mmCIF file of all heavy atoms in Angstrom:
data_model
loop_
_atom_site.group_PDB
_atom_site.id
_atom_site.type_symbol
_atom_site.label_atom_id
_atom_site.label_comp_id
_atom_site.label_asym_id
_atom_site.label_seq_id
_atom_site.Cartn_x
_atom_site.Cartn_y
_atom_site.Cartn_z
ATOM 1 N N ALA P 79 -219.554 -8.099 -242.307
ATOM 2 C CA ALA P 79 -220.355 -9.238 -241.752
ATOM 3 C C ALA P 79 -221.816 -9.017 -241.921
ATOM 4 O O ALA P 79 -222.563 -9.909 -242.012
ATOM 5 C CB ALA P 79 -219.909 -9.361 -240.263
ATOM 6 N N THR P 81 -223.203 -7.713 -244.504
ATOM 7 C CA THR P 81 -223.604 -7.752 -245.969
ATOM 8 C C THR P 81 -224.671 -8.729 -246.172
ATOM 9 O O THR P 81 -224.571 -9.880 -245.703
ATOM 10 C CB THR P 81 -222.377 -8.067 -246.897
ATOM 11 O OG1 THR P 81 -221.353 -7.051 -246.588
ATOM 12 C CG2 THR P 81 -222.712 -8.077 -248.377
ATOM 13 N N PRO P 83 -226.449 -11.799 -247.787
ATOM 14 C CA PRO P 83 -225.896 -12.903 -248.573
ATOM 15 C C PRO P 83 -226.703 -13.181 -249.810
ATOM 16 O O PRO P 83 -227.291 -14.293 -249.955
ATOM 17 C CB PRO P 83 -225.903 -14.063 -247.571
ATOM 18 C CG PRO P 83 -227.057 -13.731 -246.655
ATOM 19 C CD PRO P 83 -227.106 -12.256 -246.496
ATOM 20 N N ARG P 92 -219.406 -11.441 -246.517
ATOM 21 C CA ARG P 92 -219.921 -11.671 -245.219
ATOM 22 C C ARG P 92 -219.093 -12.504 -244.353
ATOM 23 O O ARG P 92 -218.793 -12.264 -243.233
ATOM 24 C CB ARG P 92 -221.337 -12.237 -245.265
ATOM 25 C CG ARG P 92 -222.118 -12.359 -244.023
ATOM 26 C CD ARG P 92 -223.580 -12.927 -244.354
ATOM 27 N NE ARG P 92 -224.379 -13.054 -243.211
ATOM 28 C CZ ARG P 92 -225.385 -12.287 -242.878
ATOM 29 N NH1 ARG P 92 -225.705 -11.199 -243.580
ATOM 30 N NH2 ARG P 92 -226.180 -12.461 -241.777
ATOM 31 N N VAL P 96 -217.060 -11.898 -240.776
ATOM 32 C CA VAL P 96 -217.178 -12.681 -239.531
ATOM 33 C C VAL P 96 -215.814 -13.224 -239.196
ATOM 34 O O VAL P 96 -215.511 -13.305 -237.964
ATOM 35 C CB VAL P 96 -218.229 -13.867 -239.844
ATOM 36 C CG1 VAL P 96 -218.200 -14.847 -238.671
ATOM 37 C CG2 VAL P 96 -219.598 -13.329 -239.898
ATOM 38 N N ARG P 123 -224.685 -13.494 -233.637
ATOM 39 C CA ARG P 123 -225.736 -13.254 -234.551
ATOM 40 C C ARG P 123 -225.579 -14.017 -235.865
ATOM 41 O O ARG P 123 -226.496 -14.082 -236.579
ATOM 42 C CB ARG P 123 -225.943 -11.771 -234.707
ATOM 43 C CG ARG P 123 -226.518 -11.031 -233.514
ATOM 44 C CD ARG P 123 -226.897 -9.627 -233.707
ATOM 45 N NE ARG P 123 -227.430 -9.130 -232.576
ATOM 46 C CZ ARG P 123 -227.097 -8.023 -231.963
ATOM 47 N NH1 ARG P 123 -225.985 -7.249 -232.410
ATOM 48 N NH2 ARG P 123 -227.663 -7.583 -230.895
ATOM 49 N N HIS P 124 -224.342 -14.429 -236.112
ATOM 50 C CA HIS P 124 -224.056 -15.119 -237.403
ATOM 51 C C HIS P 124 -224.047 -16.720 -237.178
ATOM 52 O O HIS P 124 -223.652 -17.444 -238.135
ATOM 53 C CB HIS P 124 -222.771 -14.642 -237.982
ATOM 54 C CG HIS P 124 -222.882 -13.229 -238.445
ATOM 55 N ND1 HIS P 124 -223.518 -12.986 -239.595
ATOM 56 C CD2 HIS P 124 -222.529 -12.027 -237.902
ATOM 57 C CE1 HIS P 124 -223.603 -11.646 -239.800
ATOM 58 N NE2 HIS P 124 -222.861 -11.086 -238.778
ATOM 59 N N SER P 125 -224.310 -17.125 -236.016
ATOM 60 C CA SER P 125 -224.155 -18.610 -235.727
ATOM 61 C C SER P 125 -225.110 -19.471 -236.470
ATOM 62 O O SER P 125 -224.948 -20.711 -236.740
ATOM 63 C CB SER P 125 -224.263 -18.902 -234.260
ATOM 64 O OG SER P 125 -225.486 -18.532 -233.774
ATOM 65 N N SER P 126 -226.174 -18.842 -236.922
ATOM 66 C CA SER P 126 -227.250 -19.657 -237.701
ATOM 67 C C SER P 126 -227.108 -19.326 -239.213
ATOM 68 O O SER P 126 -227.947 -19.733 -240.040
ATOM 69 C CB SER P 126 -228.666 -19.410 -237.236
ATOM 70 O OG SER P 126 -228.956 -17.982 -237.407
ATOM 71 N N ASP P 127 -226.011 -18.585 -239.661
ATOM 72 C CA ASP P 127 -225.831 -18.353 -241.114
ATOM 73 C C ASP P 127 -225.521 -19.642 -241.742
ATOM 74 O O ASP P 127 -225.182 -20.658 -241.213
ATOM 75 C CB ASP P 127 -224.632 -17.296 -241.255
ATOM 76 C CG ASP P 127 -225.075 -15.925 -241.055
ATOM 77 O OD1 ASP P 127 -226.253 -15.686 -240.640
ATOM 78 O OD2 ASP P 127 -224.353 -14.984 -241.346
ATOM 79 N N ILE P 128 -225.541 -19.489 -243.124
ATOM 80 C CA ILE P 128 -225.160 -20.691 -243.963
ATOM 81 C C ILE P 128 -223.736 -21.071 -243.821
ATOM 82 O O ILE P 128 -222.906 -20.295 -243.258
ATOM 83 C CB ILE P 128 -225.477 -20.423 -245.478
ATOM 84 C CG1 ILE P 128 -224.606 -19.219 -245.925
ATOM 85 C CG2 ILE P 128 -226.922 -20.115 -245.731
ATOM 86 C CD1 ILE P 128 -224.659 -19.042 -247.521
ATOM 87 N N MET P 129 -223.355 -22.300 -244.199
ATOM 88 C CA MET P 129 -221.984 -22.812 -244.083
ATOM 89 C C MET P 129 -221.233 -22.059 -245.126
ATOM 90 O O MET P 129 -221.709 -21.671 -246.129
ATOM 91 C CB MET P 129 -221.930 -24.266 -244.358
ATOM 92 C CG MET P 129 -222.287 -25.153 -243.216
ATOM 93 S SD MET P 129 -221.989 -26.820 -243.614
ATOM 94 C CE MET P 129 -220.351 -26.918 -244.163
ATOM 95 N N PRO P 130 -219.997 -21.646 -244.749
ATOM 96 C CA PRO P 130 -219.193 -21.932 -243.592
ATOM 97 C C PRO P 130 -219.235 -20.776 -242.564
ATOM 98 O O PRO P 130 -218.554 -20.902 -241.548
ATOM 99 C CB PRO P 130 -217.760 -22.024 -244.252
ATOM 100 C CG PRO P 130 -217.760 -21.064 -245.299
ATOM 101 C CD PRO P 130 -219.208 -21.105 -245.873
ATOM 102 N N ILE P 131 -220.054 -19.781 -242.835
ATOM 103 C CA ILE P 131 -220.109 -18.605 -241.945
ATOM 104 C C ILE P 131 -220.572 -19.058 -240.502
ATOM 105 O O ILE P 131 -219.963 -18.727 -239.499
ATOM 106 C CB ILE P 131 -221.051 -17.540 -242.523
ATOM 107 C CG1 ILE P 131 -220.534 -17.105 -243.857
ATOM 108 C CG2 ILE P 131 -221.208 -16.384 -241.568
ATOM 109 C CD1 ILE P 131 -221.555 -16.246 -244.617
ATOM 110 N N GLY P 132 -221.680 -19.801 -240.461
ATOM 111 C CA GLY P 132 -222.223 -20.152 -239.230
ATOM 112 C C GLY P 132 -221.302 -21.086 -238.395
ATOM 113 O O GLY P 132 -221.135 -21.010 -237.231
ATOM 114 N N ASP P 133 -220.589 -21.972 -239.150
ATOM 115 C CA ASP P 133 -219.605 -22.906 -238.485
ATOM 116 C C ASP P 133 -218.486 -22.057 -237.927
ATOM 117 O O ASP P 133 -217.916 -22.377 -236.769
ATOM 118 C CB ASP P 133 -219.028 -23.860 -239.551
ATOM 119 C CG ASP P 133 -220.131 -24.942 -239.820
ATOM 120 O OD1 ASP P 133 -221.105 -25.081 -239.152
ATOM 121 O OD2 ASP P 133 -219.819 -25.666 -240.855
ATOM 122 N N LYS P 136 -219.873 -20.370 -234.666
ATOM 123 C CA LYS P 136 -219.952 -21.415 -233.582
ATOM 124 C C LYS P 136 -218.677 -21.781 -233.004
ATOM 125 O O LYS P 136 -218.598 -21.865 -231.785
ATOM 126 C CB LYS P 136 -220.830 -22.581 -234.160
ATOM 127 C CG LYS P 136 -222.290 -22.305 -234.393
ATOM 128 C CD LYS P 136 -222.879 -23.466 -234.983
ATOM 129 C CE LYS P 136 -224.212 -23.108 -235.592
ATOM 130 N NZ LYS P 136 -224.740 -24.259 -236.378
#
Side-chain angles (χ1 to χ4, degrees):
T81 302
R92 187 177 179 105
V96 171
R123 290 188 176 126
H124 292 284
S125 64
S126 61
D127 279 8
I128 61 171
M129 279 187 51
I131 300 168
D133 289 346
K136 288 175 195 169

